[in-house]
Structures are given as C-alpha cells and as structure tokens.
Amino acid sequence: MNKASPLAPESFPDMPSVPGVRLAAGLCGLRYKERDDVALVELAHGTSVAGVFTKSKTASAPVEACRKALHSGAASALLVNSGNANAFTGSVGAEAVENTVKAVADLFPCRPSTVFTASTGVIGERLDDGKIIAVLSALKDKLNDANWEAAAKAIMTTDTFAKGATRSASIGAETVTVNGIAKGSGMIAPDMATMLAFVFTDAAIPSHTLQEMLNGAVDRSFNRITVDSDTSTSDTVLLFATGQSAKHKPVDLGDDPILADFRRALEDVMIDLALQVVRDGEGATKFITIVVNGAEDDRAARVIGMSIANSPLVKTAVAGEDANWGR
C-alpha cells in the first residue's frame, strides 16, 4: 500500500454491524499479490436496492449489468474486485460479469438478477473471472458482520487509506444504522466523482423511495467534489436496505417527515465518504472547500464553484502556497 495521504483521517471508524449484512475479503491475485483484492457481501432476503452510476458513454461491464439488475429492486449479494476495471473489454467483459454473477447466485443460492457487481482498476484489460470464482467458497466461509475495514481495503486501487463512515438515525421511535465504504483517489470529478461507494442500512425502505433519496444525496455529496476533473468509467454508488431490524411504520415516499432523520444520516455518510475521497486525491497535500453565497440558484452556485475548483491556476496557487489571486 502507498504511504497514507497527509490528509488522511487518524483511523478507520468503528463500524457497528448492520443486521442483514455480512462481509468478507480475500485475495484472488488479479493484479495485487500481497493484499486482498476482492470483497463479497451477503444481504438478507428482502433487501431493497438503489443505484447511481457513471454518465460516461464507455461505462464498464459491471456498471451496465448493475443498471439492468436494478430494475428488480431487490438484492441478495454484492461482489467487488480491485485491480481490473473490466471496462472497454467488449463482449468478453460482459461474459466475465455473467460468469461471476452466476457463480455467486449458485453459492448462496439466489436469483442472478439480485447479484450486483463492481470492478475497479486498470482499464482495457480482460478480467480473469476464473480467479474470482475460485475464491468465492472461501469468501463465503469468512462472511461475518464485522469485516467493514477488510472490505474497504479490498476494493482499494491507488487509494492510500480505507474509507468508511457510519451514522445512526431515528425513524419514528426506532433507531437504524447507516454504514458506508468507498474507494477513490484518481479520476475524481462529477458525475459522480467517486469510483465506488456502497451504503447499507437495516431500515425497511422500498427501492423506489431509496432511489429518490439516493439521487438527492449523491447530488449533494459525490457530485460536488473534484480532484483531477476526470470522470471514471466505473463510477458506482449502491444503497442497500435490509429491513432486518426495522419495526418502524411502513414508508413509501422520500419526503415523508418520518424519514427526515434518515435522510440526514444518509447524506452525512455520503458527504463523509466523498470528502475522504478528496483527501486521498493522488498526490494531494491540500484540502479546500468552496462556499458560494448570493448565487441566483443552486445550479448557478455549482457552476461557479466548480469553475474555481477545476481551475489549474487556482490549484497551483493553493498547492504552491502562492496565492496570485489576480488570475
């Protein structure tokens, strides 16, 4: 692993378990020989899911597969590998996703349409799905509800530290947990401005409501950061709600007042993860926040803010600590 960024947090957060979520990490040797490079997550029956993905026209094979799987609104498992993005790989890339999805579905068992995958790493190289499939049984044996940091480390590429965040929220009289892990260091720019992020909660929320809330939270978190102005082919944010410990009243609309604290917690987790991605920007030594006041509307404020944040002149002035503001 590379030396940790000078902007890194002191430690990985203490992540509580989320009922209905079990995780494992292991080494399959796609590219890295001395650290874990694949993570497997088992999700309880009845888990709902929402997702937001890259707007790149050259989206990776896993992104395209997840977009299709999302139509079911249900999730049983998540498989993530690092070292190879399975992007720009054509039909062989799609076949690799199909093979790994089928293997995971057979492992649990579950419907293939409820298995989600993500890949990150080198673009344009064929993914050796056989290496991933070979370690799935061992990963299943290692599943538990405490492997948050191990999973976060397994999905890293050029990252210098594992990224995690957790919050609790009240839905009526019930308390639920929101946990998230992410990876990202290079190719960081809207839309979405992170490589991969996965958020989990034990709340009972239907997929269409999750999607509504996720769209807004992504816009206010991952879509408001930038490091190098380059969007990735693999950008993926997935939100899973297991419903395993939620005894709150049924919810159906994202603007239901009973979900106000949950929306706050979800957005807090995603902003936390997004800012960690910025702090781990490749070669980053400075972290800046741009606040825009007096703009005509939010869209205008964002355009103004991003024009400043993406300016090479502003970046070099800040990095060199020589603020030539006349530019």
Side-chain angles (χ1 to χ4, degrees):
M1 186 187 300
N2 298 326
K3 182 179 179 181
S5 165
L7 305 175
E10 292 184 3
S11 62
F12 191 82
D14 183 15
M15 304 270 281
S17 63
V18 174
V21 179
R22 298 200 303 156
L23 313 91
L27 172 64
C28 73
L30 282 174
R31 178 166 297 272
Y32 310 113
K33 305 303 180 183
E34 299 179 354
R35 69 173 176 87
D36 291 346
D37 58 358
V38 61
L40 178 67
V41 183
E42 179 188 26
L43 301 161
H45 178 73
T47 294
S48 57
V49 59
V52 177
F53 307 96
T54 180
K55 292 184 179 179
S56 171
K57 298 299 184 183
T58 55
S60 69
V63 165
E64 297 292 9
C66 282
R67 283 176 172 150
K68 294 179 181 178
L70 204 62
H71 293 302
S72 73
S76 300
L78 169 68
L79 178 68
V80 187
N81 75 268
S82 60
N84 186 312
N86 195 10
F88 234 67
T89 47
S91 61
V92 295
E95 183 180 352
V97 173
E98 290 177 8
N99 292 341
T100 53
V101 164
K102 183 180 185 301
V104 172
D106 290 343
L107 187 70
F108 282 121
C110 61
R111 289 181 290 115
S113 62
T114 63
V115 176
F116 289 78
T117 66
S119 299
T120 179
V122 176
I123 292 171
E125 291 186 5
R126 181 171 181 171
L127 177 70
D128 187 348
D129 52 275
K131 289 185 176 181
I132 298 175
I133 293 170
V135 302
L136 288 179
S137 292
L139 286 174
K140 183 180 180 181
D141 292 339
K142 295 167 63 177
L143 287 167
N144 70 54
D145 60 5
N147 279 333
W148 295 99
E149 185 172 9
K153 287 181 176 179
I155 66 175
M156 297 186 343
T157 52
T158 57
D159 304 58
T160 68
F161 63 88
K163 301 168 182 66
T166 182
R167 300 290 190 277
S168 61
S170 296
I171 301 180
E174 301 298 323
T175 299
V176 299
T177 299
V178 182
N179 279 2
I181 59 174
K183 66 83 51 188
S185 184
M187 298 181 78
I188 307 301
D191 301 286
M192 273 172 332
T194 189
M195 296 289 284
L196 304 175
F198 310 105
V199 183
F200 308 84
T201 180
D202 53 328
I205 302 174
S207 60
H208 65 274
T209 304
L210 278 184
Q211 189 66 57
E212 179 184 345
M213 290 190 291
L214 181 63
N215 290 344
V218 165
D219 185 59
R220 291 185 290 274
S221 57
F222 297 120
N223 275 354
R224 299 199 183 188
I225 63 172
T226 184
V227 173
D228 50 24
S229 310
D230 290 324
T231 300
S232 167
T233 59
S234 307
D235 290 344
T236 298
V237 175
L238 291 171
L239 171 60
F240 303 95
T242 70
Q244 288 300 291
S245 67
K247 298 178 182 178
H248 54 77
K249 78 169 190 176
V251 292
D252 189 57
L253 298 175
D255 59 359
D256 189 327
I258 199 174
L259 286 175
D261 196 49
F262 179 84
R263 289 197 303 273
R264 185 270 316 162
L266 174 63
E267 190 168 314
D268 280 356
V269 164
M270 293 177 62
I271 290 175
D272 191 337
L273 293 174
L275 296 184
Q276 288 185 57
V277 168
V278 174
R279 292 180 182 278
D280 204 16
E282 293 176 347
T285 58
K286 302 289 191 297
F287 176 91
I288 64 171
T289 300
I290 296 169
V291 179
V292 180
N293 292 315
E296 181 175 323
D297 52 32
D298 286 349
R299 181 183 179 280
R302 178 172 168 178
V303 170
I304 293 166
M306 284 298 176
S307 69
I308 298 169
N310 285 324
S311 165
L313 291 175
V314 171
K315 290 181 179 181
T316 53
V318 173
E321 300 180 0
D322 182 13
N324 183 350
W325 299 115
R327 295 180 176 180

